[in-house]
Amino acid sequence: MTTNTEHETYMLYHRRDQIDEEQRLGAQHKVVKHAVFGGRLIFSSVPANESMNAVADVGCGTGLWLNDLARTHFGDRLHSNPPMLVGFDVNAKAFTKSPERGVQLVEHDCTKPFDERYYDRFDLVNMRALAYAVPEEGFYSLIKNVLRLLRPGGYLQWGESGSKLWKAIPVDSESSPAEEHSDLATIERSLEIVDEERSTPGLVTYLPNFMVRSLMRLPPLQSVSALAQGYDPVSIIHFEIRPGGASAISNDRLEPQWVDVFSKLTFEALKLLLNAALIRKQKLMERPVSQTALSGTPSDSVKEIERLQGNITELISGGKVRMGGVFPARVARKAKPY
């Protein structure tokens, strides 16, 4: 996580200190790495050569991405010439107690400026899965701060996911058209509720557009305006939408077992996000009638969410539907001085 206000915005804030949430995030890291990015931690458009000596991870959580990078990319160098690997997150309680050699985990609200000792230091900054924690306006501050971390010529890679980009795909040929329609309607309505919850604290609801716009909104590359406003000039060098799970089932790069793992974890994430919506509706029910009158009747919403949760549990056990999705991924590069 990245900001001190995430208890107001992060949809899974209530799980932040739970052991099973740490385990879920570990499984999620593996499935995104293999089922979406083909086993890569560094995007293909970023030159991951021996000259890369400093990497930062913003919103690092437990630090698992950096630990994995240390082992797989810098393994031979960890003892002889260790790189500078720094993870930033507002929740220091989540940090692993046994980081790999060279990995430093720093408590920091990334919507606030970083310590100047980190400015212009990093060859690569990684950001991933921040869309459920940082409100839209907070992202602009975060990006401005992150660009200060990069050395001239350094790279920012940013990968995201979002419920608007998830899709249910029927796989049971024996289901009747009515059953199939009902199954898909359950998923569709569940995703609608999650999107409604995301819009309440101002979270970004449509990521591909936002991920491009967030940098396009910055002043032009190398402009006097950019420097005067404190921005580091940057250019987008790569943007793609990567399929994952059942959406990528015909893609030869995806090993079949990852389709099922992706689907299972996406279903679990959907249930957890629905539960977050349920918790908020239940809190509304605890308010005096005069305070909830303007919000409608949360009791009806509670019943609907509980019904959907039960239906999703049946879909998971029945194996009639798989989940897929697409993941926007963007790489930008900080300009070198002329």
Side-chain angles (χ1 to χ4, degrees), residues 112-127:
K112 304 294 191 297
F114 291 90
D115 189 306
E116 291 185 6
R117 63 179 167 158
Y118 295 115
Y119 285 2
D120 301 317
R121 295 293 303 277
F122 295 95
D123 303 296
L124 171 67
V125 174
N126 176 68
M127 300 197 316

Side-chain angles (χ1 to χ4, degrees), residues 13-29:
Y13 182 85
H14 61 286
R15 290 173 54 87
R16 61 181 288 181
D17 297 324
Q18 297 180 15
I19 293 177
D20 59 343
E21 177 65 2
E22 181 179 338
Q23 295 171 341
R24 185 187 72 84
L25 291 174
Q28 175 182 280
H29 167 72

Side-chain angles (χ1 to χ4, degrees), residues 145-173:
N145 296 331
V146 164
L147 293 179
R148 299 302 303 273
L149 299 177
L150 289 169
R151 65 165 177 79
Y155 293 83
L156 167 65
Q157 68 171 33
W158 179 11
E160 282 292 350
S161 177
S163 50
K164 275 188 177 296
L165 306 177
W166 296 349
K167 181 178 180 62
I169 300 174
V171 295
D172 186 358
S173 59

Side-chain angles (χ1 to χ4, degrees), residues 187-207:
I187 303 299
E188 182 177 346
R189 178 55 185 151
S190 299
L191 294 174
E192 287 176 355
I193 290 174
V194 171
D195 287 335
E196 290 168 5
E197 287 298 303
R198 292 180 68 194
S199 64
T200 301
L203 296 174
V204 179
T205 55
Y206 189 62
L207 288 161

Side-chain angles (χ1 to χ4, degrees), residues 1-3 6 10 16-18 21-26 28-29 56-67 86-99 103-108 110 126-130 133:
M1 291 187 283
T2 54
T3 78
E6 282 185 326
Y10 181 44
R16 61 181 288 181
D17 297 324
Q18 297 180 15
E21 177 65 2
E22 181 179 338
Q23 295 171 341
R24 185 187 72 84
L25 291 174
Q28 175 182 280
H29 167 72
D57 187 18
V58 171
C60 65
T62 62
L64 53 87
W65 184 87
L66 275 178
N67 274 346
V86 185
F88 299 98
D89 199 289
V90 73
N91 182 20
K93 292 181 179 179
F95 293 164
T96 177
K97 302 300 187 293
S98 55
V103 173
Q104 308 168 48
L105 301 176
V106 178
E107 184 176 9
H108 182 68
C110 298
N126 176 68
M127 300 197 316
R128 191 174 79 183
L130 302 182

Side-chain angles (χ1 to χ4, degrees), residues 26 31 56 92 97 111 122 176 194 221-222 264 320:
V31 78
K97 302 300 187 293
T111 62
F122 295 95
S176 68
V194 171
L221 183 67
Q222 291 288 53
K264 178 182 177 182
K320 297 188 295 182

Side-chain angles (χ1 to χ4, degrees), residues 61-80:
T62 62
L64 53 87
W65 184 87
L66 275 178
N67 274 346
D68 195 354
L69 185 71
R71 291 189 300 268
T72 59
H73 186 75
F74 296 104
D76 295 338
R77 295 173 47 191
L78 290 181
H79 295 282
S80 60

